[in-house]
Amino acid sequence: MSTPAMSTPEVLREMLREVLYGPDGGPLAVGLFSVGEAGLLRTVHAFTQAQVMAPAAPGRPTPAQITVHLRQSLELAAAQLADPYALLPDEADAWTVRFASPQAWRLELVTLARAGQHFYETLYLPLSPDGLRIAFGAVTHAAYHTGALRFHLANLRAGAGG
């Protein structure tokens, strides 16, 4: 007996859930974008305060800047899906942001999680073809940057001896 095919919105929600949290099935699971327990939220929480403020290489963005960029991207996609004419807040430029304290960074992580949840909720709305394009683009964009953050974190851990 076969299982019923997932609808496009269900596929989008599953893809976003994997990007945010990693695939179902624990540490040995393999998903479309990542291995088990390697989602965006777990990855950004794994950086130390010093690591999150240091670029991977000279002239490159910091993990903090990439994280803010991702949060803003998720917020933008959710706003566009909920109301194509939504006026978006004037956000600080993600590529120049600096967090002065661990508390400010933790607040950004909470805001990122909320943005992910809000975007997930908008995927229950009826989506036009343009809305589907926006949604798929936002999920793929988040997966791309999550992979880059995971790669950077793995390099930091390897350089520190594990």
Side-chain angles (χ1 to χ4, degrees), residues 62-134:
T62 67
Q65 292 166 338
I66 294 168
T67 301
V68 171
H69 169 68
L70 279 172
R71 189 236 328 135
Q72 290 175 347
S73 174
L74 293 171
E75 290 171 341
L76 172 62
Q80 290 175 320
L81 293 178
D83 178 1
Y85 303 104
L87 295 176
L88 302 175
D90 186 20
E91 294 281 348
D93 185 3
W95 306 116
T96 59
V97 73
R98 304 234 2 123
F99 291 96
S101 69
Q103 295 80 8
W105 172 241
R106 282 194 299 275
L107 181 58
E108 177 60 33
L109 295 180
V110 169
T111 306
L112 172 66
R114 286 183 180 145
Q117 178 62 37
H118 182 64
F119 179 52
Y120 183 89
E121 291 165 2
T122 64
L123 296 177
Y124 281 95
L125 297 171
L127 299 177
S128 67
D130 192 48
L132 288 170
R133 183 191 59 76
I134 290 166

Side-chain angles (χ1 to χ4, degrees), residues 4-42:
M6 294 174 80
S7 70
T8 301
E10 289 171 324
V11 170
L12 278 164
R13 289 190 298 270
E14 179 61 23
M15 289 169 60
L16 178 61
R17 192 211 52 75
E18 181 189 325
V19 169
L20 293 173
Y21 302 104
D24 284 335
L28 300 179
V30 177
L32 209 71
F33 303 112
S34 59
V35 295
E37 301 180 352
L40 172 62
L41 297 174
R42 187 179 296 260

